[in-house]
Amino acid sequence: MKTAVVLLSGGLDSATVLAMAREQGYACHCLSLDYGQRHRAELTAAARVARAQGAVHHRVVKIDLAGFGGSALTDASIAVPTGGVGAGIPVTYVPARNTILLSFALANAEVCGASDIFFGANAVDYSGYPDCRPEYVKAYEAMANLATKAAVEGQRLTVHTPIIALSKADIIRKGVALGVDYAQTVSCYQATDEGLACGACDACRLRRTGFEQAAVADPTRYR
């Protein structure tokens, strides 16, 4: 089997991407980052999803983006917005997060001999995040192929973003077709330790709307 590293947050999108990688015949090494986010419920969810979908390995690496702050997801003094998705880049953007996460995935890929990284970036329901755009992913892939021993020696790396152009409803439909159990996932920006969702943050609003538009029952556990 081909080997891939899959960035797995524990949310709806990354769970779907893992299922898509598995469908394509990859042996999946899942990587989750404990980066100082507000809650650990999504990491618990990531472990559940990795087990349920038969990942070869699931690694959790601890880093400290909360030491920098600058985001409602890493700084408790910044409130998570609950007024709906607005214009511009929201305060839930974590500075340089996807670049950092992809770099850890890249290091993992070199060590386990993977030529493929799967990443759940989405440019349709992406809430204004600049590091979820197709041009960003293309630029990162180009950099990775200049910067690694594996690529210099002929093992070119590909960064796969299979849901980047899908709506949330289309992502859910695809996941349901692949047997993803979305009850195991946590998307909320301020979930409780038990994984209960607030129902008001941008992530909850996008998720709920996605299930409604997909005509799929929402299995999310709300407070």
Side-chain angles (χ1 to χ4, degrees):
M1 296 178 71
K2 301 173 291 184
T3 301
V5 172
V6 180
L7 280 168
L8 187 66
S9 69
L12 181 154
D13 290 345
S14 66
T16 307
V17 168
L18 173 57
M20 294 171 82
R22 292 273 295 152
E23 181 191 32
Q24 292 176 39
Y26 286 93
C28 295
H29 292 246
C30 293
L31 176 64
S32 302
L33 278 293
D34 180 357
Y35 61 83
Q37 56 267 59
R38 278 179 174 262
H39 61 77
R40 298 187 60 83
E42 67 179 15
L43 294 172
T44 303
R48 287 196 301 264
V49 170
R51 285 194 301 269
Q53 295 200 31
V56 173
H57 188 262
H58 178 223
R59 183 188 304 273
V60 179
V61 175
K62 186 174 179 61
I63 57 177
D64 185 21
L65 296 186
F68 299 107
S71 168
L73 300 191
T74 57
D75 186 340
S77 70
I78 303 175
V80 172
T82 57
V85 179
I89 299 173
V91 295
T92 50
Y93 164 72
V94 180
R97 180 182 65 177
N98 285 350
T99 301
I100 293 166
L101 268 58
L102 280 169
S103 295
F104 274 83
L106 180 59
N108 194 2
E110 279 212 279
V111 172
C112 70
S115 299
D116 301 272
I117 293 173
F118 281 79
F119 169 45
N122 180 259
V124 177
D125 291 332
Y126 79 123
S127 300
Y129 297 140
D131 52 3
C132 286
R133 295 175 296 171
E135 53 266 44
Y136 163 76
V137 176
K138 182 178 179 180
Y140 190 91
E141 182 181 277
M143 181 281 297
N145 281 293
L146 290 172
T148 57
K149 176 178 180 288
V152 169
E153 293 179 347
Q155 185 175 322
R156 182 173 178 80
L157 180 100
T158 302
V159 179
H160 301 264
T161 53
I163 64 168
I164 200 162
L166 300 183
S167 69
K168 193 68 73 179
D170 286 337
I171 293 167
I172 290 167
R173 292 187 190 101
K174 180 65 175 177
V176 168
L178 294 175
V180 176
D181 180 2
Y182 288 119
Q184 297 181 330
T185 66
V186 173
S187 301
C188 179
Y189 288 149
Q190 49 187 357
T192 66
D193 291 342
E194 294 76 28
L196 301 180
C198 73
C201 69
D202 289 354
C204 281
R205 289 170 182 267
L206 289 169
R207 179 179 169 119
R208 177 181 283 161
T209 299
F211 279 108
E212 290 173 354
Q213 292 178 348
V216 172
D218 184 358
T220 307
R221 297 179 302 130
Y222 294 100
R223 298 179 192 173

